[in-house]
Amino acid sequence: MAPETILKPADFQTEVHNDWCPGCGDFGILKAMQMALADLKFERHNVAMFSGIGCSAKTVHYIDTYGIHTLHGRVLPFAMGAKLANPGLEVIAMGGDGDGLGIGAGHFVNAGRRNLDMMYVIFNNGVYGLTKGQASPTLKLGLKPKSLPKANINDAVNPLWLAIASGATFVARAYSFDIKHLKDLFVKGIQHRGYAFIDVLQPCPTYNNLNTKDWYGGEDRHDESGKRMPRVYKLEERGFDPLVRTEDEADEKKLQALRVAAEWGDAIPIGVFYQNPLLATFEDRLREQIPGYMEEPPAKQVIADAAGRPTVRVQKFLDELVVT
Ligand code: SF4
Ligand code: MG
């Protein structure tokens, strides 16, 4: 790419009205995503971002790429369909914890099993922010943020555990107010060959007054010298090694990731928990079953002639479905 065409974060910004509340963690995620796309020198027309429904879903309106705001809980089927139709696209799905782990939980599991080469980001604030702060699937049992009349009666889903159990081959957690670290994780997740899931801890100051920026930053905790003790810490700074280098160590690396992903409270790890670049992607498996698919995927096929008459031969497709 010529120097004059090198992209900057500003190249992915759009001049549209922003509806997020002041102090929302979403701003950090937006900034980190713009920085990651610029770092990777993507051209706008090669990036497609999908969102579900929720505050987080507005992100696709604020990034100057293709943006598709879909249905509640259905962001992954839309994103996976686009990736299959045009495997050359960089596909990024994003949505809230309620969207992805409530109504979208079945899609969350099945996306892991497929291992398509794409990234999914959850904005995790423990509440349904867009609809005034009801308890989401990641709010811990017994917590009572100011938006609830009584303490949460359900236990929480651990998104990292569920992602690892479902087969995601890149599993990470980030914190929305550590933008540089979050940007680096986005870059790693996009570059990973396979399905990358990133859980972003995203304070919602309007409805969740418990898991706040101050709480994550340890404003209420001090060591003997009076120094603040942040709750969030980086796995890589403690020598944690998430990478699967040989297939026979994959299970042990998963167990290691599950153990560290159980930490919460006074010590909350962020970083890459698990990464397995060795497993065949969905695209690899497709290439084996349908030779030529990747060279001529649906998005590149001619479906009509110059007069608009369909040229698709349905019989050819039906013949491929015959069980022999
Ligand atoms: Fe952010 Fe919460 Fe406001 Fe939604 S309601 S924009 S998540 S602070
Ligand atoms: Mg939420």
Side-chain angles (χ1 to χ4, degrees):
M1 185 175 281
E4 67 273 15
T5 61
I6 287 177
L7 299 169
K8 301 176 286 301
D11 292 320
F12 290 97
Q13 286 170 11
T14 47
E15 297 299 322
V16 293
H17 172 74
N18 188 304
D19 282 327
W20 288 328
C21 310
C24 176
D26 289 357
F27 288 103
I29 302 175
L30 172 63
K31 178 56 72 183
M33 186 63 77
Q34 288 165 334
M35 290 165 66
L37 296 177
D39 264 25
L40 291 165
K41 302 188 180 6
F42 285 150
E43 294 173 291
R44 290 188 200 91
H45 68 275
N46 281 331
V47 179
M49 311 192 86
F50 295 78
S51 63
I53 296 293
C55 297
S56 58
K58 297 173 186 170
T59 309
V60 302
H61 297 261
Y62 307 148
I63 299 182
D64 201 2
T65 60
Y66 286 117
I68 301 95
H69 194 155
T70 73
L71 305 174
H72 196 208
R74 309 300 173 214
V75 60
L76 283 172
F78 277 91
M80 290 188 288
K83 185 69 184 176
L84 283 174
N86 187 356
L89 276 179
E90 296 295 337
V91 171
I92 299 169
M94 44 183 53
D97 43 346
D99 184 88
L101 295 162
I103 187 172
H107 300 305
F108 186 101
V109 169
N110 289 297
R113 294 170 54 222
R114 295 196 176 103
N115 200 31
L116 269 158
D117 190 9
M118 55 174 273
M119 182 167 79
Y120 178 37
V121 179
I122 277 192
F123 296 37
N124 184 353
N125 53 24
V127 293
Y128 285 85
L130 190 69
T131 52
K132 305 221 178 294
Q134 299 86 351
S136 87
T138 59
L139 187 70
K140 304 288 184 197
L141 175 65
L143 288 191
K144 189 188 134 7
K146 65 183 178 184
S147 55
L148 297 186
K150 291 189 177 167
N152 183 22
I153 200 168
N154 294 308
D155 206 349
V157 172
N158 183 323
L160 303 175
W161 280 4
L162 192 59
I164 291 165
S166 303
T169 51
F170 179 100
V171 178
R173 184 198 274 142
Y175 175 49
S176 63
F177 285 112
D178 191 336
I179 295 175
K180 167 78 172 55
H181 186 253
L182 174 56
K183 184 269 289 180
D184 289 345
L185 285 179
F186 282 160
V187 169
K188 283 184 187 155
I190 292 168
Q191 289 178 327
H192 171 70
R193 193 170 176 281
Y195 178 63
F197 168 68
I198 303 185
D199 176 38
V200 186
L201 304 173
Q202 175 253 313
C204 166
T206 300
Y207 294 114
N208 187 338
N209 58 320
L210 303 175
N211 305 127
T212 60
K213 186 180 179 190
D214 283 353
W215 184 80
Y216 284 118
E219 291 293 340
D220 56 327
R221 289 169 6 110
H222 300 92
D223 65 14
E224 285 161 6
S225 67
K227 212 169 131 211
R228 183 174 54 85
M229 293 167 65
R231 289 185 164 82
V232 173
Y233 77 89
K234 296 189 177 89
L235 285 170
E236 58 272 25
E237 289 178 355
R238 300 197 184 175
F240 186 82
D241 177 10
L243 186 64
V244 176
R245 291 181 180 77
T246 58
E247 273 164 20
D248 59 358
E249 67 175 11
D251 284 350
E252 185 45 49
K253 291 277 176 166
K254 279 184 194 167
L255 291 172
Q256 166 190 264
L258 292 173
R259 275 193 292 274
V260 75
E263 290 182 18
W264 190 258
D266 286 344
I268 301 176
I270 59 173
V272 182
F273 286 67
Y274 177 75
Q275 183 172 11
N276 182 357
L278 306 179
L279 194 71
T281 62
F282 194 87
E283 292 89 327
D284 294 334
R285 303 170 205 166
L286 203 54
R287 200 179 275 117
E288 270 196 17
Q289 288 202 3
I290 311 177
Y293 182 95
M294 300 303 280
E295 291 70 36
E296 200 185 356
K300 291 192 178 165
Q301 290 179 18
V302 177
I303 57 169
D305 63 19
R309 286 183 295 261
T311 55
V312 176
R313 285 171 46 221
V314 177
Q315 189 58 48
K316 180 169 171 279
F317 172 69
L318 294 175
D319 288 347
E320 284 173 5
L321 298 179
V322 171
V323 178
T324 53

